[in-house]
Amino acid sequence: MKRKTFDELTFADDGMFQAVMKNPELSAELVERLLGVRVKQVEYPELEKAIAPYYTSKGVRLDVYLKDEDKAIDVELQSYPQKALGKRMRYYQSMVDCDCLMKGQPYTKLKESYILFICKFDPFHDKDERGYGLARYTFRNICVEENSVNLDDKCVKVVYNASAYKSVEDPKVRALLRFIQTDEPGEDDFSKRLSEFVARVKENEKFRKEFSDMNLHDFDIMTEAKEEGLAEGARQNAVENARNLKAAGVDINIIAKCVGLSVEEVEKL
């Protein structure tokens, strides 16, 4: 996948999305438009907040994390499909709850929580791998035996499929999803403000350097992962060849020399 240059970045790109959402007014308006909930007051959104309640547990780094007196909202933007979206949302939800409830507090103190994922693709497919085509998927915990019974855990998970923006009836939501999907603000005032903010961020030399450093860090991680993958692939081939040679009755010492493994490793096979 070709890495974008700094000047090619759009609002929907990692790094740029977080930079724009540093503006608390823009963050609050995006949430209110997509979730339909009022964010009473956000002094400053927490960006890429890392939550790891125990040193042995897997931490999460949230794209944009907003809290007011009675709500906690995590906003994630996904430009490319990732595995296990449902389980990812489940884990993020658990970490948000851990962050909201102090030790010794009763469960009644848990804030109303929202996990909002904005995707540039349809994340849900039927058994034939065809997308359902909805622009919005809303999930609440209800009783399977009686759908009118709501668990009332004050937790809502919402996934937007920006690629289906044309089917949205609400003009404000449709315009925002269109901007996220196409990078074209059109006549929508909020989308224009987001686009203008993106342009201002691109003029910021400090952010340009931070993005460059981030890309170099990501490149190092990708290179290391690729090298590890190649090494693991080579070992798997060696193991497979060793097993085939052993099945053919070849001496273990000869096998070790042929496949590049030690005699001890071949014996273990």
Side-chain angles (χ1 to χ4, degrees), residues 220-269:
D220 290 342
I221 293 174
M222 290 168 62
T223 300
E224 182 179 349
K226 184 177 181 180
E227 290 174 351
E228 289 179 356
L230 290 172
E232 181 61 24
R235 175 172 173 76
Q236 290 298 325
N237 285 336
V239 168
E240 187 64 26
N241 290 334
R243 285 176 172 152
N244 291 337
L245 291 171
K246 182 67 175 69
V250 178
D251 181 81
I252 285 180
N253 292 288
I254 296 175
I255 293 175
K257 290 181 180 179
C258 288
V259 301
L261 298 174
S262 67
V263 172
E264 291 76 14
E265 288 176 305
V266 176
E267 286 177 341
K268 286 182 181 179
L269 296 177

Side-chain angles (χ1 to χ4, degrees), residues 11 16 20 26 179 183 185-186 188-203:
F11 172 71
M16 181 59 76
V20 175
L26 294 178
F179 171 61
D183 197 38
D188 179 57
D189 176 67
F190 182 52
S191 297
K192 283 182 179 179
R193 281 188 283 135
L194 290 174
S195 183
E196 290 166 0
F197 205 95
V198 168
R200 290 202 296 273
V201 170
K202 288 183 177 180
E203 295 173 357

Side-chain angles (χ1 to χ4, degrees), residues 14-15 17-19 21 45-53 58-67 72-78 87-100 113-117:
D14 188 37
F17 174 68
Q18 294 151 4
M21 290 293 97
E46 298 180 68
L47 303 177
E48 284 202 321
K49 179 179 177 67
I51 303 175
K58 178 180 175 63
V60 296
R61 189 167 291 278
L62 309 179
D63 280 357
V64 180
Y65 185 46
L66 302 90
K67 285 195 292 188
I73 304 167
D74 168 38
V75 185
E76 306 288 328
L77 202 156
Q78 304 281 317
K87 290 183 177 179
R88 182 185 296 266
M89 297 183 79
R90 168 183 163 186
Y91 194 73
Y92 283 18
Q93 175 61 55
S94 67
M95 293 296 101
V96 168
D97 286 343
C98 286
D99 185 58
C100 287
S113 67
Y114 295 84
I115 307 296
L116 170 61
F117 269 62

Side-chain angles (χ1 to χ4, degrees), residues 146-205:
E146 177 51 68
N147 291 350
S148 63
V149 179
N150 192 318
L151 188 61
D152 197 30
D153 56 357
K154 305 301 182 186
C155 167
V156 181
K157 299 180 181 71
V158 176
V159 181
Y160 271 98
N161 165 23
S163 67
Y165 68 87
K166 293 181 181 179
S167 65
V168 178
E169 293 184 5
D170 187 318
K172 290 186 176 182
V173 175
R174 182 172 62 247
L176 178 55
L177 294 182
R178 177 181 181 274
F179 171 61
I180 291 172
Q181 186 69 19
T182 67
D183 197 38
E184 298 173 3
E187 297 302 315
D188 179 57
D189 176 67
F190 182 52
S191 297
K192 283 182 179 179
R193 281 188 283 135
L194 290 174
S195 183
E196 290 166 0
F197 205 95
V198 168
R200 290 202 296 273
V201 170
K202 288 183 177 180
E203 295 173 357
N204 187 310
E205 289 300 323

Side-chain angles (χ1 to χ4, degrees), residues 13-41:
D13 288 313
D14 188 37
M16 181 59 76
F17 174 68
Q18 294 151 4
V20 175
M21 290 293 97
K22 281 184 179 180
N23 183 299
E25 293 181 2
L26 294 178
S27 291
E29 189 165 348
L30 180 140
V31 165
E32 289 172 11
R33 188 173 284 207
L34 293 182
L35 291 180
V37 297
R38 183 75 177 168
V39 180
K40 297 175 183 176
Q41 181 181 0

